[in-house]
Amino acid sequence: MHSRPRRRVLAAVALLTLGTLLSPAATARAADAATEAPEPARIDLVLDLSGSMNEKDAGGRTRLAAAKQAVTRIIDTAPEQAPLGLRVYGATYPGEDKKRGCADTQQVLPVTPMDRAARADAKQRVAGFKAVGFTPIGVSLREAAKDLGTSGKRRIVLVSDGDDTCAPPPPCEVARELKAQGIDLAVDVIGFRAPSSARAQLKCIADVTDGSYADAEDGDSLTDRLGTLFRTAWRTYHATGTPVSGSLNGCQDAPLVTPGQYLDRFTGGRDLYYRVKKRPDQRLQVSATAVAEEGYSRGSLITVAAGPAGSGKPHAWLREFSQSMGWANVLSTGGRSKPGAGDESPAPGDTGCIVVENQVTRPGDEPMPVELLVGIADRSTQASGPRVPEPRSGAAAEGGFSFNSATPIGPGTHRQSIAVGEAPFWRVEVKAGQRLTVKAGVDVPGDFPQSATTGWGVTVYNAQRESTLCNEDHRATELFAGRTGHFERVCGPWEITGQDDARSPDSKGYDVPGTYYIQAQVAEPAAEAKGIVVPISLTVDVSGTPGSDASPVFFFGDDAATGQGPSPSASSGNGERGGTGGAAAAAKDDDSLVDRLALPLGAGAGVLLIGGITFYALRRRRAA
């Protein structure tokens, strides 16, 4: 079949999760690949509860009441797996004995993930705080470093309204001492109505540990400043998946993968190869996402292709690519094969090959995490139908930070606030015969710091996790150009006609039914704007009547990383319930796996941080 052109968006996020079988020789490298995913930073919040916190803030409340509000907000909004601890000083001894007062520091909450029980316990403890004593900042910093342990990324967030009243040890000397230990630890400091005499000391703590300093004049600004620090530490892209080691030498020695989500890595400029089973009557979806610590250089290119193994690179089943305009830290693409029965010659043993082409890293570069997603659709998955999560609304509709954690929403308007530099994701289900329109708005305050490239960006991804043009002006980002006030971007409307439908117009990728992902951000801001919280609104409209033709339903593996699994009636055909992604599933190497497992429709992972003022138009090629 001839390839069909389609205009594509460039820039970035696609997450690929592919089920795989690890060969014994690949075990060591697979273990290394697992370590490529950055872990959430462990954070210890150190709160000043000295007697001066009973004074009024600029809003008329006590500083203590304002601090309780701000800390409770952090606890409420912390991701469930975010490790958070809480230490206070000046909270228990109200007397004049300096020796006793300067030893008054306690860890009231160990550094632990914020599950439901930990969250409830932390809020109860915060509600009971009293401010009575001294200000032993230096001693508290030493103890907070112990709270965090000795491994991984760690941060201390210090909130203080004044000078240390207990030196020695001087707080800045303690900060230098911690930095000299060579551990990955930074101290961020918020001066809460701190006098000028205290600011120099507090700023020194931040400066010598490569942390940050900010002033807060009232409870609202304290809440915002704390929110900014924690969002920066937690809400970054976290590559996930079952470790797999793709071959660097072609299809012959590549591991066999089954539906699921997996994590590999690009090394040097080498491509990654995997084997996959697919009969002519089945359809294959493959998506891939590379994750960089910083933005990609302009022109970085990732391609995913699949087809029967042979000479050269496989591409007869699908081929998709995406190119970066720069400023993005994830680069993603994905595609689906066309219906094959009657049009497609079987591959030998029904086994084909997937290649993820790497034009991102070069020899000598650090390894880069790559997520892989593979799904299969056939009559058995079609009979089961997709499993769709319940949409959320209100506060529960706050965006997630990957395809995996994208928040399910339905039609309507959803409002929240995001920090500049964040790129939250939402997901919405769309069927063939329906029309999708997305409108996103942001309110930019009058004192917002801007640069020439500051703007408001919106990207929509189809069910293949392809990023596509928002509208016909080919721009991903609307520049503010020094203006403030309300800005909106409207994407669509798009007719979801069904992939490969002959009646489909030039849809720029939006003819594929399934799960669509929406991502929004204030892009490429001035450095001083990073972390500023701004209100946004997201309006989703899904209109039209679903067509009578059933959309393909893909099985992406029963893998915790994807949040997917078979329907309750699914069976592997050997008496076991359900199916498994990853090595366990792949090891079966059995056609019955995808024949008999039911499919929940796609969750994926990956976060596209929009970059670029305009997107190039690329032609999408699929050979079959």
Side-chain angles (χ1 to χ4, degrees):
M1 287 181 279
H2 297 291
S3 61
R4 178 166 65 94
R6 176 179 294 170
R7 298 166 73 185
R8 285 287 319 284
V9 179
L10 309 173
V13 147
L15 167 278
L16 213 108
T17 34
L18 216 132
T20 69
L21 171 66
L22 297 180
S23 65
T27 303
R29 187 166 161 253
D32 290 342
T35 67
E36 294 300 316
E39 295 295 331
R42 296 166 55 82
I43 302 180
D44 207 18
L45 174 58
V46 179
L47 183 62
D48 183 348
L49 293 183
S50 61
S52 58
M53 289 289 284
N54 291 311
E55 297 178 11
K56 301 288 187 181
D57 78 354
R61 297 173 295 177
T62 65
R63 298 177 188 177
L64 175 61
K68 287 183 178 183
Q69 171 190 289
V71 174
T72 299
R73 174 64 177 163
I74 294 301
I75 294 168
D76 280 336
T77 58
E80 211 167 273
Q81 297 306 313
L84 173 64
L86 181 59
R87 172 171 288 276
V88 297
Y89 58 82
T92 63
Y93 177 68
E96 300 297 325
D97 186 327
K98 186 173 181 180
K99 183 176 181 180
R100 291 183 62 187
C102 290
D104 184 8
T105 177
Q106 301 88 33
Q107 184 185 31
V108 296
L109 179 71
V111 181
T112 186
M114 283 288 99
D115 59 22
R116 182 177 299 181
R119 208 181 301 266
D121 179 51
K123 290 169 67 175
Q124 184 177 16
R125 291 174 184 271
V126 170
F129 283 166
K130 294 180 180 180
V132 297
F134 283 70
T135 312
I137 296 176
V139 171
S140 297
L141 289 177
R142 277 181 180 162
E143 295 303 312
K146 296 176 184 177
D147 297 343
L148 289 166
T150 58
S151 62
K153 291 186 176 180
R154 288 157 292 158
R155 301 193 82 86
I156 296 171
V157 177
L158 169 67
V159 177
S160 178
D161 72 343
D163 289 292
D164 187 313
T165 58
C166 291
C172 199
E173 289 305 311
V174 172
R176 288 191 176 93
E177 167 191 311
L178 297 177
K179 192 66 177 178
Q181 294 174 7
I183 58 179
D184 190 359
L185 173 65
V187 183
D188 299 307
V189 184
I190 298 177
F192 187 23
R193 294 189 64 79
S196 56
S197 60
R199 284 181 187 146
Q201 183 184 81
L202 296 175
K203 287 180 178 178
C204 180
I205 295 170
D207 289 345
V208 300
T209 61
D210 297 322
S212 63
Y213 177 84
D215 286 306
E217 292 300 314
D218 55 27
D220 290 340
S221 62
L222 177 60
T223 299
D224 285 348
R225 299 294 184 271
L226 272 179
T228 294
L229 288 174
F230 280 86
R231 293 167 93 129
T232 300
W234 283 335
R235 300 192 176 192
T236 56
Y237 182 66
H238 178 50
T240 58
T242 301
V244 62
S245 241
S247 168
L248 303 177
N249 303 308
C251 301
Q252 185 173 355
D253 61 348
L256 179 68
V257 299
T258 60
Q261 176 171 309
Y262 298 84
L263 182 62
D264 206 335
R265 59 179 180 173
F266 280 151
T267 54
R270 306 291 294 276
D271 301 335
L272 297 172
Y273 291 84
Y274 313 87
R275 290 185 298 128
V276 65
K277 302 267 289 186
K278 188 191 83 70
R279 300 189 312 266
D281 63 305
Q282 294 175 323
R283 298 186 65 176
L284 173 70
Q285 175 170 325
V286 184
S287 305
T289 300
V291 184
E293 289 189 3
E294 298 180 356
Y296 287 102
S297 60
R298 186 184 298 265
S300 296
L301 187 70
I302 185 173
T303 304
V304 62
S311 59
K313 292 181 178 178
H315 58 76
W317 292 341
L318 63 90
R319 178 179 171 85
E320 303 289 346
F321 61 93
S322 187
Q323 185 177 359
S324 174
M325 283 293 295
W327 306 329
N329 75 334
V330 290
L331 188 59
S332 169
T333 192
R336 291 175 175 175
S337 65
K338 294 182 180 181
D343 289 325
E344 181 181 295
S345 298
D350 290 330
T351 301
C353 187
I354 296 167
V355 59
V356 182
E357 297 179 20
N358 170 20
Q359 296 184 41
V360 178
T361 65
R362 296 171 177 80
D365 289 350
E366 290 295 319
M368 179 179 293
V370 179
E371 293 173 315
L372 197 63
L373 174 68
V374 166
I376 286 287
D378 59 18
R379 285 176 295 180
S380 65
T381 65
Q382 200 70 27
S384 304
R387 185 181 66 195
V388 178
E390 286 293 323
R392 302 178 194 170
S393 59
E398 183 172 296
F401 289 87
S402 70
F403 284 139
N404 262 6
S405 61
T407 302
I409 57 174
T413 298
H414 308 271
R415 302 182 189 280
Q416 69 171 85
S417 294
I418 66 172
V420 174
E422 290 181 348
F425 266 60
W426 298 263
R427 56 180 288 179
V428 62
E429 307 303 316
V430 189
K431 298 178 180 179
Q434 293 184 316
R435 177 185 295 119
L436 173 66
T437 305
V438 176
K439 179 172 68 175
V442 61
D443 293 300
V444 180
D447 60 350
F448 188 85
Q450 297 190 16
S451 68
T453 51
T454 304
W456 172 236
V458 182
T459 296
V460 179
Y461 299 85
N462 68 12
Q464 299 170 172
R465 295 164 181 84
E466 295 178 282
S467 58
T468 311
L469 296 176
C470 177
N471 51 35
E472 292 184 357
D473 66 10
H474 297 185
R475 293 183 299 158
T477 303
E478 179 179 359
L479 296 183
F480 295 155
R483 297 170 294 159
T484 58
H486 186 73
F487 293 83
E488 284 188 348
R489 297 282 286 164
V490 178
C491 299
W494 296 290
E495 299 281 349
I496 312 300
T497 58
Q499 188 182 31
D500 303 315
D501 190 326
R503 298 166 294 174
S504 177
D506 179 15
S507 57
K508 307 179 185 69
Y510 290 87
D511 56 356
V512 183
T515 302
Y516 276 60
Y517 298 89
I518 304 162
Q519 183 266 346
Q521 105 181 110
V522 178
E524 194 61 12
E528 58 269 28
K530 290 281 190 180
I532 291 178
V533 177
V534 293
I536 68 166
S537 62
L538 181 67
T539 300
V540 175
D541 179 67
V542 179
S543 59
T545 303
S548 57
D549 295 337
S551 301
V553 177
F554 283 81
F555 173 64
F556 292 105
D558 186 14
D559 192 318
T562 62
Q564 302 300 302
S567 68
S569 63
S571 170
S572 66
N574 59 2
E576 297 176 358
R577 299 285 291 177
T580 57
K588 297 185 179 184
D589 193 7
D590 190 334
D591 291 346
S592 65
L593 178 68
V594 292
D595 288 343
R596 304 183 185 186
L597 287 180
L599 164 76
L601 187 65
V607 154
L608 162 66
L609 300 179
I610 295 180
I613 304 166
T614 63
F615 281 133
Y616 293 138
L618 290 184
R619 296 180 70 82
R620 166 178 173 257
R621 297 178 295 150
R622 177 187 295 130

